[in-house]
Amino acid sequence: MKTIVEAKRIKKTYGAKGNVFSALEDIDLTVQEGEFVGIMGPSGAGKSTLLNVLATIDEPTSGDITIDGTSIVKMKEEQLSAFRRDKLGFIFQDYNLLDTLTVKENIILPLAMAKVKVEELERRVRDVADKFGISSILEKYPYQISGGQKQRTAASRAIVAKPSLILADEPTGALDSKSATDLLESLKGLSEQDKATILMVTHDAFAASYCQRVLFIKDGKLFTELVKGKMSRKEFFNKVLDVLSALGGGGNDII
């Protein structure tokens, strides 16, 4: 099996001597191709910091990160920008769609720089729109569609360029339960059928129950991990709740 993410002894500190805050401490992480992995933990635990470091948005203070065979920690900004465009897909809580573009045009954006042929571009848009159930709204604008449809548009945009790694930060945070379920089912399908590799930060045990594995972070360190294995989603959901309880909080009040 191909390793997509390998992070070794990741540290991230902020501040100067005498007033240093350690956000991440000696984090080791490996993610294989096709895995759907959740990251959970209390507020301030370091979840978003870890995601930002893996997303090349922030730099680790020390340690090494390899994504799809490429070490990213010593890359210059220009190289990182190209790497982000070619290898990473992002899904954020607030959608980040452009209101002046249609749903279809928003999805196409990552391909605009890649000079993809029109026929291939059309095929890819049809394919991802079908996967996320938004084929009927491709010509609409973001202000004409629901929050769930906006997030599925954002997810389609994230995968249309076939990135090596999809990074999702609280993707269900602003959605109602049906929209959240639709999105999570689609992400699970991408992982299982298309071998998409997904890392998702979430505060929600329900969202985490769709993952194959969940990493729990506390005080910048890896606290424990849960592997779903042959458990049902409901059984896994309850296991996630148990760990969150041990960490100090319920499944829907931890950020």
Side-chain angles (χ1 to χ4, degrees):
M1 196 178 284
K2 185 179 180 183
T3 298
I4 297 297
V5 180
E6 188 165 22
K8 293 181 179 175
R9 300 185 68 80
I10 298 302
K11 290 188 180 184
K12 181 65 183 178
T13 56
Y14 295 98
K17 46 186 169 172
N19 191 24
V20 175
F21 169 68
S22 182
L24 297 174
E25 202 165 319
D26 287 334
I27 297 277
D28 289 332
L29 170 67
T30 303
V31 181
Q32 306 294 339
E33 184 176 38
E35 274 200 290
F36 185 5
V37 179
I39 301 172
M40 302 191 82
S43 179
K47 309 183 297 298
S48 292
T49 303
L50 178 58
L51 197 76
N52 287 342
V53 162
L54 295 173
T56 75
I57 292 166
D58 202 354
E59 286 181 54
T61 304
S62 62
D64 190 40
I65 300 169
T66 302
I67 297 177
D68 200 12
T70 302
S71 177
I72 63 170
V73 290
K74 295 200 174 130
M75 279 188 183
K76 296 188 166 56
E77 186 49 49
E78 199 174 300
Q79 293 172 299
L80 284 172
S81 181
F83 185 84
R84 264 180 233 122
R85 186 187 68 230
D86 297 339
K87 296 288 187 178
L88 304 179
F90 298 93
I91 308 173
F92 300 104
Q93 183 175 328
D94 56 1
Y95 322 131
N96 286 350
L97 301 177
L98 296 176
D99 275 334
T100 54
L101 300 181
T102 63
V103 165
K104 181 178 179 179
E105 288 164 344
N106 268 284
I107 294 171
I108 286 169
L109 270 180
L111 301 177
M113 300 287 289
K115 296 178 181 168
V116 175
K117 289 182 181 173
V118 175
E119 299 83 9
E120 171 68 5
L121 193 146
E122 292 285 346
R123 188 192 65 74
R124 285 208 205 174
V125 170
R126 281 198 307 272
D127 187 39
V128 297
D130 187 49
K131 279 180 173 41
F132 282 97
I134 55 171
S135 300
S136 63
I137 61 165
L138 286 176
E139 300 309 320
K140 291 191 175 183
Y141 289 87
Y143 59 84
Q144 296 175 309
I145 62 178
S146 70
Q149 290 169 328
K150 286 178 185 176
Q151 191 57 294
R152 280 181 278 150
T153 298
S156 298
R157 181 186 57 195
I159 70 160
V160 75
K162 301 183 178 176
S164 301
L165 177 65
I166 297 164
L167 298 135
D169 193 359
E170 301 283 5
T172 61
L175 303 182
D176 61 64
S177 59
K178 184 188 182 308
S179 297
T181 301
D182 289 345
L183 178 69
L184 291 162
E185 289 284 359
S186 297
L187 291 175
K188 182 168 171 272
L190 277 177
S191 162
E192 292 174 350
Q193 290 145 35
D194 297 345
K195 293 288 177 215
T197 308
I198 306 166
L199 260 178
M200 175 177 72
V201 163
T202 182
H203 70 281
D204 184 9
F206 175 76
S209 71
Y210 279 83
C211 298
Q212 296 158 0
R213 186 160 58 105
V214 181
L215 307 174
F216 296 86
I217 294 177
K218 184 178 184 180
D219 300 328
K221 298 175 184 173
L222 204 53
F223 178 74
T224 190
E225 77 168 342
L226 278 181
V227 178
K228 185 177 183 183
K230 294 195 184 320
M231 278 186 265
S232 69
R233 198 180 59 71
K234 188 173 182 182
E235 288 172 321
F236 195 48
F237 170 77
N238 287 324
K239 291 278 187 188
V240 170
L241 284 178
D242 288 344
V243 176
L244 289 176
S245 179
L247 274 169
N252 286 305
D253 60 1
I254 290 180
I255 295 173

